[in-house]
């Protein structure tokens, strides 16, 4: 209530840190004076920023691999495992611990447990120890004929050594020592694992998990390069071991973070308080509970995410997978690669697109990548990628590369035909693969009729991939860059035109077959991306296809800030400190979802221009909990 006016505000939660609000102001006669509907309130640190503005005037072009054009072999070569495998001492310690536990508490194995997951654990212990004692595990053959005293000595010696060097060894020994208390109901497994930060230590420093988190962060950083404004949802974040690596890779604590919003969730709120403290320096991170087995719309998540990250998200339901009617797993919750390949398409994903194995000598994948298949409205006209013919546009007589390309497409069951720039195009040429820049730069020495015919091809086509052979990533043959300049102009004039460029380096020793496969995939991607695409300029080096982004040049900007920072800087100041000091925005405010800066300005009513307004600001805090 203010004077003779009454204000009412009502809001609803929209996402993890956003409010949708309606505001109504009425007079004493209950007549409406002001209505503001659909007001969106977001936490300040959710705003994306491209840097320090005029304090970072220098930029440079950087190239990184396009993740969707990488093969498993290529991504494995980019991010190879650091270790050959897990220490065999851990396996020897574990099996001796389990055998001693079975010998010491035979009544447990006879009677079982009334708690389902503990009873399943007992069966698993019996199965594993029986297999080893029967000689079915050659790697642990030397443990078969050990006496009880020898096993206890192994547990003592190996345990003491591994506690000093291994996160896995520390938590294994602690869990082993507490197994009787767990089965007697005095403690739960998670309580034991959380003691002394052992679980956090395992996630942060354990060989297997640390390796997986490191490489997961590298893959996410590649995605961020292609989509710096992506919205990320992490489910089952737990202690935050994966989050820590990802936010570091995405520069979450800088003004140039590689995401617009990062939502950290777990099924329970017990991890959230510590996570908020741990990641307080990172901008754009919000925290919320989330159950992945329930629809997001029922939990306040209405926004769409570009990336969903799930890392080590099971503990109490470890044995639940045994009863899965479609993909039963007796060894725990994790799916094999073959299972992932089957289950992902059933859930609206493309399949197992990429996977990175943990160790060189022990193939088990810690990073799996799958793309969501977009839902297409049946009433919408959708290009049928298999029903159209690809036309290879070339110069003069088909050279060897053109013939190889035609043969390769045929072997891949892609319908293709040839067309020379010396003849006029036909109306059926809808999908073009332009290969006129292989032996020499077309725009440098083409004839007038060749140029006219190529123009006609482009005007009638629905999509085009223009391939050059300039080795431009290493600036080998700069004249070929004229093509990229031309296509940039075409993209400016016809923003809906589906056209991409791919520069090869065939004269630098690039394998032709690898280049042909990328050409086929990129032509299909260009044709099918009928909603428009962010990237259109691709270059190849050593079989890898990177894309470019403009990023701040740290060295040049640091030099600039060293000269300018003394006189040009900003600082955060509370409104209560400013009092009634007049301020003016430093630039025109054209959007509500980006921060702007204020500077001191002497204002009076007479000094206001016709397009300016004077605003008195008051602040009201909102709790989103």
């Amino acid at each position: 209530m203010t004077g003779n006016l009454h204000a009412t505000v009502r809001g609803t939660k929209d996402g993890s840190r956003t409010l949708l609000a309606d505001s109504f102001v009425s007079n004493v006669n209950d007549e409406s004076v002001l209505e503001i509907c659909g007001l969106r309130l977001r936490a300040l640190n959710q705003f994306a920023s491209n840097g320090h503005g005029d304090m970072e005037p220098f930029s440079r072009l950087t190239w990184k691999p396009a993740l969707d054009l990488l093969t498993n072999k290529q991504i494995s070569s980019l991010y190879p495992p650091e270790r050959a495998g897990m220490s065999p001492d851990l396996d020897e310690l574990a099996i001796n611990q389990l055998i001693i536990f079975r010998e010491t508490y035979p009544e447990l194995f006879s009677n079982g447990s009334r708690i389902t997951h503990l009873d399943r654990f007992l069966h698993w212990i019996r199965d594993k120890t029986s297999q080893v004692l029967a000689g079915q595990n050659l790697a642990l053959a030397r443990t078969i004929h050990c006496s009880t005293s020898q096993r206890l000595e192994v547990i003592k010696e190996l345990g003491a050594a591994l506690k000093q060097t291994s996160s896995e060894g520390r938590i294994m020994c602690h869990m082993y020592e507490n197994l009787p208390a767990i089965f007697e109901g005095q403690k739960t497994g998670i309580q034991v694992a959380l003691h002394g930060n052992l679980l956090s230590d395992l996630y942060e420093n354990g060989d297997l998990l640390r390796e997986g988190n490191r490489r997961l962060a590298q893959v996410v950083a590649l995605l961020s390069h292609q989509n710096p404004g992506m919205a990320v949802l992490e489910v089952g974040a737990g202690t935050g071991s994966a989050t820590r690596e990802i936010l570091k890779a995405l520069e979450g604590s800088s003004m140039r973070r590689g995401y617009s919003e990062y939502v950290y969730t777990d099924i329970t709120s017990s991890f959230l308080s510590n996570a908020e403290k741990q990641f307080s320096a990172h901008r754009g991170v919000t925290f919320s509970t989330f159950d992945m087995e329930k629809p997001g719309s029922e939990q306040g998540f209405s926004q769409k995410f570009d990336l969903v990250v799930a890392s080590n998200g099971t503990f109490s339901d470890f044995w639940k997978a045994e009863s899965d009617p479609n993909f039963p797993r007796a060894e725990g919750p994790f799916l094999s690669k073959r299972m992932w390949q089957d289950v992902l398409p059933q859930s609206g994903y493309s399949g197992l697109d990429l996977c990175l194995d943990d160790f060189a000598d022990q193939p088990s994948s810690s990073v799996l990548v799958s793309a969501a298949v977009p839902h297409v409205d049946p009433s919408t006209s959708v290009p049928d990628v298999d029903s159209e013919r690809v036309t290879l546009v070339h110069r003069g007589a088909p050279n060897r590369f053109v013939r190889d390309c035609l043969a390769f497409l045929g072997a891949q069951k892609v319908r293709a035909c040839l067309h020379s720039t010396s003849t006029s195009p036909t109306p059926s040429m809808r999908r073009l693969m332009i290969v006129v820049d292989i032996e020499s730069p077309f725009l440098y020495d083409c004839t007038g009729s060749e140029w006219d015919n190529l123009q006609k091809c482009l005007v009638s086509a629905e999509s085009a991939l223009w391939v050059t052979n300039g080795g431009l990533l290493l600036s080998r043959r700069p004249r070929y860059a004229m093509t990229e300049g031309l296509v940039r102009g075409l993209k400016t004039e016809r923003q809906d035109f589906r056209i991409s460029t791919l520069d090869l380096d065939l004269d630098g020793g690039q394998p032709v077959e690898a280049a042909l496969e990328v050409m086929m995939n990129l032509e299909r991607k260009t044709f099918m991306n009928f909603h428009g695409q962010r990237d259109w300029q691709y270059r190849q080096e050593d079989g890898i296809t990177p894309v470019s982004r403009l990023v701040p040049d740290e060295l040049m900007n640091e030099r600039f800030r060293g000269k300018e920072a003394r006189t040009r800087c900003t600082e955060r100041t509370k409104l209560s400190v400013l009092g009634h000091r007049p301020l003016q925005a430093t630039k025109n405010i054209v959007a509500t979802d980006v921060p702007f800066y204020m500077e001191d300005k002497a204002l009076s009513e007479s000094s206001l221009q016709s397009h300016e307004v004077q605003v008195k600001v008051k602040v009201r805090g909102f709790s989103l909990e």
Side-chain angles (χ1 to χ4, degrees), residues 95-241:
I95 197 62
N96 280 289
Q97 288 174 336
L98 294 179
I99 292 174
I100 288 296
F101 180 70
R102 180 178 175 181
E103 291 178 353
T104 306
Y105 299 94
E107 68 281 358
L108 267 178
F109 292 86
S110 299
N111 301 329
S113 173
R114 289 177 296 178
I115 302 175
T116 304
H117 68 272
L118 291 181
D119 191 64
R120 181 62 189 85
F121 185 38
L122 289 173
H123 283 282
W124 181 84
I125 293 174
R126 182 188 296 112
D127 292 343
K128 291 301 176 185
T129 53
S130 297
Q131 289 173 10
V132 170
L133 294 174
Q136 297 178 17
N137 189 326
L138 297 179
L140 297 170
R142 66 176 182 173
T143 67
I144 297 175
H145 303 295
C146 289
S147 64
T148 298
S149 61
Q150 289 174 323
R151 294 190 195 283
L152 290 171
E153 188 63 26
V154 169
I155 292 173
K156 180 180 178 181
E157 292 181 358
L158 277 182
L162 290 171
K163 281 182 180 180
Q164 300 299 317
T165 60
S166 167
S167 299
E168 290 88 352
R170 285 189 287 273
I171 197 169
M172 280 171 54
C173 290
H174 187 67
M175 296 297 292
Y176 167 69
E177 293 162 1
N178 283 272
L179 279 178
I182 292 173
F183 279 96
E184 290 171 5
Q186 299 174 7
K187 302 176 182 179
T188 65
I190 187 65
Q191 287 174 336
V192 175
L194 290 172
H195 176 77
N197 291 321
L198 286 171
L199 186 61
S200 297
D201 177 50
L202 175 67
Y203 284 147
E204 294 175 25
N205 303 309
D207 289 339
L208 180 62
L209 299 176
R210 183 181 66 245
E211 175 74 1
N213 290 336
R214 178 185 68 85
R215 300 165 87 206
L216 172 62
Q218 291 171 326
V219 171
V220 173
L222 280 188
L223 286 168
S224 175
H225 176 74
Q226 290 185 260
N227 183 10
M230 64 181 181
V232 183
L233 171 68
E234 183 179 359
V235 298
T239 63
S241 60

Side-chain angles (χ1 to χ4, degrees), residues 250-266:
L250 298 184
E251 300 184 76
S253 60
S254 75
M255 293 291 289
R256 296 178 301 275
R257 67 179 192 258
Y259 56 91
S260 61
E261 182 177 11
Y262 193 105
V263 183
Y264 176 110
T265 72
D266 198 84

Side-chain angles (χ1 to χ4, degrees), residues 380-424:
T380 304
S381 178
V382 181
D384 184 355
V385 73
D386 294 320
S387 65
E388 300 296 336
R389 182 174 59 183
V390 176
T391 301
L392 284 165
V393 181
H394 62 94
R395 298 184 73 180
N399 56 34
R400 181 176 179 179
F401 180 83
V402 173
R403 295 193 300 271
D404 287 345
C405 188
L406 185 65
F408 179 84
L409 292 174
Q412 300 299 318
K413 302 188 184 307
V414 176
R415 299 170 59 203
C417 65
L418 299 179
H419 178 81
S420 173
T421 54
S422 60
T423 59
S424 297

Side-chain angles (χ1 to χ4, degrees), residues 4 11 30 56 60 85 131 281 314 325 355-356 409 423 439 514 522 582:
N4 295 324
D30 203 25
E56 290 191 337
R60 62 180 175 84
Q131 289 173 10
T314 61
C355 58
L356 283 171
L409 292 174
T423 59
E439 294 182 334
L522 195 51

Side-chain angles (χ1 to χ4, degrees), residues 30-58:
D30 203 25
E31 297 172 335
S32 177
V33 176
L34 177 67
E35 293 184 6
I36 303 176
C37 299
L39 183 65
R40 186 179 298 274
L41 305 175
R42 300 178 63 192
L44 179 62
N45 68 351
Q46 291 306 296
F47 298 137
S49 174
N50 294 324
H52 296 287
D54 56 1
M55 295 298 288
E56 290 191 337
F58 299 101

